[in-house]
Amino acid sequence: MHPIVNVAVRAARRAGDIILRYHTRVADLEMSRKGQGDFVTEVDRAAERAIISTIREFYPDHGLLAEESGSRPGKEEATWIVDPLDGTANYVRQIPHYAVSIAVRLKGRLEHAVIYDPRRNELFTATRGWGAQLDNRRIRVSRHDTLAEAVLALSVPQSLDDRTGGQLAHRGVTRRRMGSAALDLAYVAAGRFDGFWGTGLQPWDLAGGVLLVREAGGLISAPDGGEDFMERGNIVATNRRLFRETLRGIQP
């Protein structure tokens, strides 16, 4: 692995240990609501502190963009994008679908990614140009070429799905709402899902998964085909065979 990925893996595993330590005691956690269906717990904050501490140990001059503590500019053109617990709403309900997501952006371009699922002990990694791996084994997006065979993960409001998702259902698409965009994108990279459609997401939700999908051979854009999906938080990611058909299927 690249040295930066090694540090990201160490940070993600430290965060994962904290997450697992409390996962059977979530009723005792301090928790607050950030928005509709959006929670933060003391575990989110502790996991993020562990990640940042690990990064600072090796790369003290790098910048940070973290979900709970915000943006901290660095002295170098490298920024770590951190979501310490993507899927907190699942976590507090003891639904085992959540993950730690860490990505590194160099000079404005995503270069490294780690997504770690502590419950399943699955580690997804990627470095630009080096491919994507699950537990050190190369992964690729699925090979399905029709929407009738596709399983699509969603992170969109129900009202939007009602308006546009009906077209997907008419074409035979199976849709899943799992509650962790980072892990959903990792599953696209691994070929478990054929695609992902999300709106209203943040950079820390997307950065790690975006690089994984690209390095696994997938395509990504905004729903209208634009390239500004990280800024807008609206994204479609699929294998190459389904990409154009999926974009057409979600148009209102």
Side-chain angles (χ1 to χ4, degrees), residues 8-212:
V9 168
R10 179 181 298 196
R13 289 195 182 278
R14 285 188 65 190
D17 288 345
I18 293 169
I19 291 166
L20 289 180
R21 192 181 308 152
Y22 291 95
H23 83 276
T24 60
R25 293 184 282 151
V26 293
D28 301 326
L29 295 177
E30 292 183 10
M31 181 173 60
S32 57
R33 185 187 297 270
K34 296 191 291 185
Q36 182 66 35
D38 189 9
F39 302 93
V40 59
T41 71
E42 58 188 291
V43 172
D44 296 72
R45 298 187 179 100
E48 184 170 293
R49 287 194 297 269
I51 293 169
I52 292 173
S53 174
T54 305
I55 294 169
R56 288 290 185 237
E57 181 181 351
F58 293 90
Y59 298 103
D61 293 331
H62 286 188
L64 287 163
L65 176 60
E67 179 175 14
E68 307 307 335
S69 56
S71 178
R72 307 181 197 180
K75 297 178 182 178
E76 297 185 16
E77 292 184 284
T79 301
W80 293 67
I81 305 172
V82 174
D83 191 337
L85 178 52
D86 186 64
T88 302
N90 284 342
Y91 180 73
V92 299
R93 292 172 175 81
Q94 297 187 336
I95 299 170
H97 191 79
Y98 45 79
V100 181
S101 179
I102 302 172
V104 181
R105 186 172 57 203
L106 299 175
K107 298 181 179 179
R109 184 165 58 184
L110 291 171
E111 292 284 338
H112 308 287
V114 168
I115 292 178
Y116 178 51
D117 177 349
R119 282 298 299 271
R120 297 176 182 86
N121 194 27
E122 288 190 329
L123 181 70
F124 300 84
T125 59
T127 291
R128 190 177 64 85
W130 290 15
Q133 295 81 35
L134 167 55
D135 295 332
N136 295 317
R137 299 188 305 274
R138 184 71 180 265
I139 54 176
R140 298 289 295 177
V141 293
S142 76
R143 298 177 60 84
H144 289 142
D145 57 7
T146 65
L147 287 181
E149 300 177 311
V151 178
L152 193 69
L154 302 184
S155 180
V156 300
Q158 185 64 53
S159 58
L160 179 60
D161 186 27
D162 290 342
R163 291 199 307 273
T164 64
Q167 298 181 54
L168 294 175
H170 181 70
R171 297 183 189 207
V173 178
T174 300
R175 291 167 291 164
R176 298 277 187 267
R177 271 189 169 77
M178 304 297 288
S180 170
L183 201 50
D184 290 347
L185 287 165
Y187 279 18
V188 174
R192 296 173 178 175
F193 289 141
D194 299 293
F196 173 79
W197 172 31
T199 59
L201 299 168
Q202 299 295 331
W204 45 80
D205 299 318
L206 298 176
V210 163
L211 186 61
L212 278 165

